[in-house]
């Protein structure tokens, strides 16, 4: 389905909205989407990645998907990144998005410490037009999968996370 032509209500239900569905036996079932919707965890290597992730956060907000955003570096704060990834499922996350430029080890570092799906956003930097980040994000060893979107592909990362969490 073409995302631009799709109705937002057909793609998701905003956090906090209660819907009524006709259930078995013609009874009504009520669902509070806040209780069943998983959050998306967003991690960036540095605050310089924020303009790219702003597209991700804006898209998730428009679609009513809850998220948390943190700055962790695979090189400068590896313990914090590891702890966040290890506790992500317990803390209600359904998918993770990691964005970084240059060596871009962040998505792999997150994926190595969680069984949740991880989406990598390679960020364009002044060096190599982001190709270094793209190759570092795509070339993960067996057993450490990272779904990778285009260089600076913040919007597509949000849509992919939406599809993964099954909204």
């Amino acid at each position: 389905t073409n995302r631009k032509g799709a109705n937002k209500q057909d793609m998701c239900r905003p956090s906090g909205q209660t819907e009524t569905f006709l259930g078995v036996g013609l009874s009504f079932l009520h669902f509070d989407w806040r209780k069943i919707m998983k959050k998306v965890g967003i991690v960036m290597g540095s605050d310089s990645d924020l303009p790219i992730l702003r597209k991700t956060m804006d898209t998730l907000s428009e679609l009513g998907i809850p998220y948390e955003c943190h700055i962790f570096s695979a090189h400068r704060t590896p313990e914090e990144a590891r702890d966040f990834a290890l506790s992500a499922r317990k803390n209600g996350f359904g998918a993770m998005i990691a964005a970084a430029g240059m060596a871009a080890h962040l998505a792999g570092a997150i994926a190595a410490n969680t069984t949740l799906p991880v989406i990598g956003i390679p960020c364009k930097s002044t060096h190599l037009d982001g190709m270094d980040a793209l190759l570092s994000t795509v070339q993960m060893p067996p057993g450490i999968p990272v779904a990778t979107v285009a260089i600076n592909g913040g919007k597509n990362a949000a849509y992919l996370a939406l599809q993964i969490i099954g909204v």
Side-chain angles (χ1 to χ4, degrees):
T1 305
N2 183 342
R3 292 279 181 222
K4 291 188 180 203
N7 183 334
K8 286 182 187 174
Q9 278 69 34
D10 293 337
M11 292 192 293
C12 75
R13 298 286 182 232
S15 179
Q17 182 175 344
T18 302
E19 288 292 319
T20 304
F21 296 93
L22 192 57
V24 178
L26 301 178
S27 61
F28 289 95
L29 301 174
H30 298 279
F31 292 100
D32 183 348
W33 291 97
R34 291 174 295 188
K35 293 181 181 174
I36 61 171
M37 185 178 291
K38 297 287 187 179
K39 298 182 288 187
V40 175
I42 301 173
V43 182
M44 66 184 96
S46 72
D47 59 0
S48 64
D49 301 324
L50 186 58
I52 293 145
L53 285 171
R54 176 61 52 209
K55 296 173 191 170
T56 305
M57 293 183 282
D58 289 347
T59 302
L60 291 172
S61 292
E62 288 170 15
L63 298 172
I65 307 300
Y67 66 86
E68 284 183 24
C69 187
H70 300 274
I71 299 174
F72 296 124
S73 168
H75 302 107
R76 292 180 297 279
T77 58
E79 292 84 17
E80 289 89 343
R82 180 179 179 274
D83 291 345
F84 181 72
L86 286 171
S87 63
R89 185 178 301 277
K90 177 184 71 169
N91 289 327
F93 293 98
M96 307 291 282
I97 297 173
M102 300 175 71
H105 295 349
L106 186 57
I110 296 295
N113 290 290
T114 187
T115 56
L116 291 173
V118 176
I119 303 162
I121 305 174
C123 298
K124 185 175 181 177
S125 63
T126 56
H127 307 289
L128 303 173
D129 286 332
M131 287 302 296
D132 52 343
L134 175 64
L135 294 173
S136 294
T137 305
V138 170
Q139 297 293 341
M140 301 288 18
I144 311 293
V146 172
T148 306
V149 296
I151 296 169
N152 293 354
K155 274 191 159 226
N156 273 350
Y159 288 123
L160 184 54
L162 175 71
Q163 291 173 332
I164 287 170
I165 62 175
V167 176

